[in-house]
Amino acid sequence: MAAPRAVLLLSGKRKSGKDFVAEELRSRLGPDVCTILRLSGPLKEQYAKEHGLDFERLLDASAYKEKFRQDMIRWGEEKRRADPGFFCRAAVKGALQPVWVVSDTRRLSDVEWFRATYGDVVQTVRVVATEETRKRRNWVFVTGVDDAESECGLDQGVAFDWVITNEGDEVALGEQLELLVQSLHRSL
């Protein structure tokens, strides 16, 4: 595994468009330069193994995943308490591109692990959208999910390097992403 030249830790509320922003960044930088890493992938894979579940179905936006979400959150928190870097190490394994976009950073312990491991190449990116916009994207508040650390862990305690507003205005989003991409090109 080559050391990254830039690590972007994306965070934001459900349906803020974190995955969309991550995909846009990879598209603009190119797949040879940028890879998207997901902390939830290793979590869901291990959870599926330990509980005899269908890993692939836990990855999609289905009722199947929602049925297990709260228990998966609880289980993941137990794993993190025992080893804060468990899912971070699994996510970066095999990453070769110089730019890593972690599309689902959710906790201060994730930010701390990446900063301790990769230092000054780490940048935090908050993707924001109003509740109204998120509702248009089919977001509905779920008690035990939207008020859990997995959704609120970075609402405080992090001074974000970048804040990307994603309200559905393609031009405004494009301008913000272009500034970020230009900054990344300077570090490559």
Side-chain angles (χ1 to χ4, degrees), residues 13-17 127-142 146-147 152 155 165-167:
K13 300 293 190 182
R14 286 193 310 129
K15 298 294 184 183
S16 63
V127 179
V128 297
T130 62
E131 270 194 23
E132 293 76 30
T133 297
R134 293 167 59 218
K135 285 176 182 175
R136 282 196 303 276
R137 296 174 181 155
N138 298 318
W139 171 76
V140 176
F141 183 90
V142 176
D146 291 295
D147 53 0
C152 303
D155 287 356
T165 301
N166 183 19
E167 294 293 338

Side-chain angles (χ1 to χ4, degrees), residues 32-49:
D32 293 340
V33 173
C34 178
T35 188
I36 298 172
L37 306 175
R38 291 181 171 86
L39 300 176
S40 62
L43 183 153
K44 290 172 183 173
E45 184 174 20
Q46 190 65 33
Y47 181 83
K49 281 180 189 172

Side-chain angles (χ1 to χ4, degrees), residues 56-123:
E56 293 299 323
R57 291 189 64 202
L58 289 178
L59 291 175
D60 62 27
S62 67
Y64 183 82
K65 177 178 77 175
E66 293 305 318
K67 185 166 76 171
F68 299 106
R69 182 187 289 271
Q70 286 182 308
D71 188 59
M72 203 168 12
I73 289 169
R74 180 203 52 76
W75 176 88
E77 297 305 329
E78 288 175 9
K79 287 283 191 198
R80 279 186 184 84
R81 275 192 289 282
D83 178 1
F86 181 83
F87 299 115
C88 299
R89 282 191 306 278
V92 303
K93 192 173 186 173
L96 299 173
Q97 292 88 335
V99 177
W100 299 354
V101 175
V102 181
S103 66
D104 58 353
T105 311
R106 298 179 184 279
R107 293 161 186 79
L108 192 54
S109 62
D110 298 336
V111 174
E112 291 167 345
W113 185 87
F114 276 97
R115 284 183 173 157
T117 305
Y118 298 105
D120 291 341
V121 302
V122 174
Q123 297 181 57

Side-chain angles (χ1 to χ4, degrees), residues 167-181:
E167 294 293 338
D169 180 335
E170 290 181 38
V171 173
L173 179 61
E175 290 169 353
Q176 296 170 84
L177 294 179
E178 191 54 36
L179 291 173
L180 179 50
V181 167

